[in-house]
Amino acid sequence: MLREILSVSGRPGLFRLLSQGKNALIVESLVDKRRTPVHASDRVVSLAEIAIYTTEGEKPLGEVLDLIYASAEGKEVDLKVVGASKERVFEFMESVLPTYDKSRVYPTDVKKMISWYNMLVKDGFTHFVAKEEEAKTEQPAE
């Protein structure tokens, strides 16, 4: 689900991948639905490739967003309240993911993750991990 959602360095918001050309990607902003090209020189990251550091390793962003969705009961998170202080940011993160690595996860990371969560919820997302991906992570490795 998050594989086609992109973060483009230097551009605010998130983008949905529409098509791929020879030297550019065509993306659509989740905020204003404007379509623009993203060139090969731009730094682009799929949200499916991002993970949060925990004491047990790394947790994929999609799973963390699902935890936020359950915690917020499907509503947007008020970033002004959560981001009011560093302590509030860490309290929120502790309530959602108690095993996050306190030394490697910064307040700015949490704020960005909350703003992404809010954009995705506004766009209609209710699940952030595809069913196939859940099945792969639940099966024991051989």
Side-chain angles (χ1 to χ4, degrees):
M1 297 197 120
L2 293 181
R3 192 151 309 285
E4 79 246 6
I5 305 298
L6 308 173
S7 171
V8 180
S9 185
R11 296 188 190 184
L14 293 174
F15 301 87
R16 176 175 280 115
L17 176 64
L18 297 178
S19 68
Q20 194 169 348
K22 184 176 180 181
N23 293 324
L25 303 172
I26 304 301
V27 298
E28 178 181 69
S29 171
L30 292 184
V31 177
D32 61 9
K33 305 298 183 204
R34 201 178 266 174
R35 295 178 180 197
T36 58
V38 174
H39 302 285
S41 60
D42 294 323
R43 197 170 127 207
V44 178
V45 177
S46 168
L47 294 192
E49 298 170 3
I50 298 174
I52 303 296
Y53 294 115
T54 67
T55 54
E56 291 101 26
E58 295 180 354
K59 191 160 194 80
L61 180 64
E63 292 178 24
V64 177
L65 293 175
D66 275 337
L67 292 172
I68 294 172
Y69 188 84
S71 172
E73 300 172 352
K75 299 176 183 147
E76 291 182 38
V77 175
D78 189 354
L79 191 54
K80 290 180 184 176
V81 173
V82 173
S85 69
K86 188 167 93 170
E87 292 77 24
R88 282 238 173 117
V89 170
F90 288 136
E91 285 173 16
F92 174 80
M93 197 63 192
E94 183 83 30
S95 71
V96 172
L97 184 65
T99 59
Y100 83 98
D101 190 340
K102 293 164 182 58
S103 64
R104 296 169 75 185
V105 177
Y106 300 105
T108 54
D109 300 332
V110 177
K111 288 178 184 179
K112 181 176 277 191
M113 183 177 55
I114 292 170
S115 70
W116 286 350
Y117 165 80
N118 287 339
M119 282 183 232
L120 292 168
V121 167
K122 273 185 190 171
D123 198 55
F125 277 75
T126 57
H127 296 334
F128 302 95
V129 178
K131 299 295 180 203
E132 308 88 53
E133 292 174 24
E134 285 178 357
K136 287 179 189 175
T137 58
E138 290 175 3
Q139 293 177 352
E142 296 178 23

